[in-house]
Amino acid sequence: MALERTFSIIKPDATERNLTGKINAMIEGAGLRIVAQKRIQMTRAQAEAFYAVHKARPFFGELVDFMISAPVVVQVLQGEGAVAKYREVMGATNPADAAEGTIRKACAKSIGENSVHGSDAAETAAVEIAQFFSGNEIVG
Ligand code: ATP
Ligand code: MG
């Protein structure tokens, strides 16, 4: 498997409850390296652009409001098969369906306030990383 990068967000429900360190420990415990990280307050425009793919969904407004309700931590994770591996570590979108040992099982409050985002493919990862990081901020 190839060395890959994926984009991660520690969402407002998690930063608010001081779960950044716990989530980072789970990420690193799974063998993924955090090669870039910053805590930001997302703007409405950034959140709308980031989740543009969900624009037509009934939960879009709620999702954008949630993502700007408190600071988030944006990250680039690197490792063998990082995209799929992080999706595995995150667990199912709805914490009620998430497997034991996953971040969402351990931390998420609901299907909306589900603690983390992870890219769903290598192509989307590249686009998402470029939305929040410049090349010299990522040190592998
Ligand atoms: P993410 O893209 O954040 O990593 P995901 O890929 O597991 O999550 P998506 O289907 O892409 O899930 O949905 C994006 C986000 O929209 C979810 O993580 C969640 O915060 C929110 N969301 C999804 N479905 C619902 C829903 N039915 N009600 C409220 N919010 C939802
Ligand atoms: Mg998604």
Side-chain angles (χ1 to χ4, degrees), residues 24-93:
N24 279 350
M26 293 177 82
I27 289 169
E28 293 184 333
L32 291 166
R33 190 183 304 279
I34 301 165
V35 295
Q37 171 171 266
K38 59 189 171 189
R39 180 173 161 104
I40 62 164
Q41 173 63 54
M42 251 195 219
T43 64
R44 182 169 294 276
Q46 271 179 316
E48 284 176 351
F50 182 74
Y51 277 124
V53 64
H54 294 308
K55 207 167 184 150
R57 309 282 285 275
F59 57 80
F60 180 71
E62 188 188 323
L63 175 59
V64 169
D65 287 345
F66 166 58
M67 292 302 287
I68 65 174
S69 66
V72 299
V73 176
V74 291
Q75 306 175 308
V76 181
L77 311 181
Q78 180 175 288
E80 295 291 319
V83 172
K85 183 177 279 184
Y86 190 44
R87 296 290 300 189
E88 222 178 279
V89 176
M90 285 164 52
T93 308

Side-chain angles (χ1 to χ4, degrees), residues 12-14 17-18 22 31 34 46-47 51-52 56 60 84 86 98 101 114 129:
D13 69 283
R17 288 176 291 149
N18 283 349
K22 176 178 177 168
I34 301 165
Q46 271 179 316
Y51 277 124
F60 180 71
Y86 190 44
N114 60 3
I129 289 168

